[in-house]
C-alpha cells in the first residue's frame, strides 16, 4: 500500500504573506501526523519564501513520522541538512523566478555536483532521493549515482489538458515508474496531485510514497473556513 507524504510549504506561504507567526507549519505537521501522514515534507528554498530554518528544525524535533527535506543542490542548504539530519533529502531544481518546482532535476547536466551533495548526505546517514521527470535516461543516471529513491514528477500528468494527453502522460509515468523499480530504486511520485487525479497514480504498481501539498492545503482552507468564521462570529457577538 502506498504511503502519503504531506508537504506543508503552503501553510508557511500564508504565514509569510504577513510575516507573522500564524498559521504555524509546525502545528500543521502535527495535525498531518494525527491525520495519518506517513511523512512530512518541507522545501527549504534558498530564497526562504515559505519554509524557514526554524520550521525544519522544529518539525524534525516534534514529529514522529519521517521528515523529507526538499532542497536545491546548494552548499548552504546542505550544511543545514547535515545539522538537522532529516530522514531523507529530495534534491530538486530551484530557480528564483519560478512559482513552484517546474521540472525535474537534470541529473545528466549536474551529475558531478549532485554526486558531491549526495555523498555528504549519505555519509551522514540521510537517504537521498532525486526529483526527476519520468524519463528513462534520468532514471539510469540516478541509479548510477547510488541514490535510494527517485521521485517522479507528476506535473505533466496533472496538467494535461485533454483526455488523450492525460492517457499519454499517465502511460509515461507508469512505464518510467516500472523502469525505476526494475533498477532497484524506491519509487516516489509527486507534484500537482489533487483529490481528482490522485487515485490512478496511487494504483501504479510499487509506488512507495505520494508527496502532496498544495491540494491538501487548499482543501484544508475550504473545509475549515465555515467553522473558523463561526468561531470568530461567536467572539464578536458575545
Ligand atoms: N514533490 C516535489 C519534489 C515538489 O517540489 C512539490 C512541490 O513543492 C511536491 C512534491 C508537492 O507538489 P504539490 O504542492 O503540487 O502537491
Amino acid at each position: 500500500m502506498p504511503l502519503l507524504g504531506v508537504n506543508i510549504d503552503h501553510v508557511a506561504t500564508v504565514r509569510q504573506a504577513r510575516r507573522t507567526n500564524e498559521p504555524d507549519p509546525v502545528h500543521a505537521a502535527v495535525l498531518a501526523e494525527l491525520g495519518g501522514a506517513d511523512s512530512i515534507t518541507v522545501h527549504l528554498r534558498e530564497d526562504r519564501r515559505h519554509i524557514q530554518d526554524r520550521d525544519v528544525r522544529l518539525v524534525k524535533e516534534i514529529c514522529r513520522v519521517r521528515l523529507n527535506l526538499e532542497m536545491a543542490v546548494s552548499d548552504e542548504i546542505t550544511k543545514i541538512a547535515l545539522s538537522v539530519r532529516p530522514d531523507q533529502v529530495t534534491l530538486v531544481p530551484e530557480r528564483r523566478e519560478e512559482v513552484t518546482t517546474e521540472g525535474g532535476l537534470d541529473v545528466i547536466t549536474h551529475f558531478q555536483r549532485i554526486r558531491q551533495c549526495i555523498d555528504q548526505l549519505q555519509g551522514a546517514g540521510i537517504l537521498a532521493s532525486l526529483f526527476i521527470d519520468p524519463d528513462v535516461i534520468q532514471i539510469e543516471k540516478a541509479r548510477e549515482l547510488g541514490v535510494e529513491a527517485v521521485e517522479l514528477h507528476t506535473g505533466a500528468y496533472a496538467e494535461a489538458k485533454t483526455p488523450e494527453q492525460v492517457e499519454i502522460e499517465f502511460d509515461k509515468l507508469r512505464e518510467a515508474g516500472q523502469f525505476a523499480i526494475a533498477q532497484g530504486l524506491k519509487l516516489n511520485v509527486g507534484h500537482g496531485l489533487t483529490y481528482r487525479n490522485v487515485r490512478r497514480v496511487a494504483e501504479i504498481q510499487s509506488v512507495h510514497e505520494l508527496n502532496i501539498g498544495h491540494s491538501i492545503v487548499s482543501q484544508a482552507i475550504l473545509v475549515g473556513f465555515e467553522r473558523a468564521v463561526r468561531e470568530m462570529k461567536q467572539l464578536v457577538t458575545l
Side-chain angles (χ1 to χ4, degrees):
M1 216 175 36
L3 303 175
L4 174 65
V6 175
N7 179 317
I8 55 171
D9 291 351
H10 293 308
V11 177
T13 302
V14 177
R15 177 191 61 191
Q16 295 311 108
R18 281 290 177 90
R19 304 257 189 285
T20 177
N21 58 9
E22 67 174 7
D24 193 325
V26 181
H27 294 172
V30 171
L31 291 171
E33 185 172 316
L34 290 174
D38 297 292
S39 68
I40 301 295
T41 294
V42 291
H43 182 176
L44 185 65
R45 293 183 63 102
E46 290 182 279
D47 63 12
R48 305 298 199 276
R49 71 167 69 151
H50 39 51
I51 292 294
Q52 305 297 307
D53 301 39
R54 65 70 95 175
D55 303 330
V56 186
R57 270 188 274 107
L58 287 174
V59 171
K60 168 68 184 164
E61 197 177 317
I62 290 167
C63 287
R64 290 183 207 154
V65 293
R66 286 172 293 114
L67 172 63
N68 172 37
L69 174 65
E70 278 180 22
M71 54 175 266
V73 184
S74 133
D75 291 341
E76 187 220 348
I77 310 287
T78 302
K79 241 184 240 161
I80 295 170
L82 291 172
S83 135
V84 174
R85 292 183 178 244
D87 302 275
Q88 177 178 305
V89 158
T90 301
L91 294 179
V92 301
E94 209 175 278
R95 283 192 299 118
R96 274 171 201 270
E97 330 73 81
E98 71 192 0
V99 175
T100 178
T101 315
E102 284 166 359
L105 193 62
D106 184 347
V107 188
I108 300 159
T109 309
H110 305 293
F111 194 84
Q112 281 313 330
R113 284 192 61 216
I114 296 171
R115 168 162 274 168
Q116 283 168 4
C117 183
I118 61 172
D119 278 354
Q120 290 183 70
L121 296 167
Q122 289 176 326
I126 302 167
L127 297 186
S129 177
L130 303 178
F131 182 53
I132 54 177
D133 289 330
D135 177 303
V136 164
I137 300 172
Q138 295 289 343
I139 295 168
E140 271 178 345
K141 283 284 167 193
R143 184 195 43 80
E144 232 178 273
L145 281 168
V147 290
E148 285 81 11
V150 289
E151 178 175 334
L152 296 186
H153 197 313
T154 49
Y157 158 73
E159 285 151 29
K161 296 280 179 274
T162 64
E164 295 76 27
Q165 205 57 39
V166 170
E167 291 312 311
I168 291 169
E169 295 302 338
F170 181 75
D171 286 346
K172 268 193 215 164
L173 190 62
R174 191 184 48 202
E175 281 160 26
Q178 296 323 298
F179 184 74
I181 294 288
Q183 301 294 305
L185 292 159
K186 210 179 260 183
L187 173 63
N188 299 325
V189 291
H191 202 94
L193 296 176
T194 69
Y195 291 81
R196 288 178 184 277
N197 66 19
V198 72
R199 195 61 236 160
R200 10 181 3 195
V201 177
E203 284 168 0
I204 292 177
Q205 210 186 349
S206 305
V207 167
H208 174 68
E209 192 159 58
L210 294 92
N211 285 316
I212 308 179
H214 186 265
S215 193
I216 292 176
V217 175
S218 306
Q219 181 82 348
I221 290 174
L222 291 187
V223 300
F225 214 83
E226 186 179 338
R227 174 172 160 195
V229 172
R230 266 183 220 295
E231 287 175 4
M232 186 59 85
K233 172 98 171 186
Q234 234 175 10
L235 279 177
V236 167
T237 54
L238 266 184

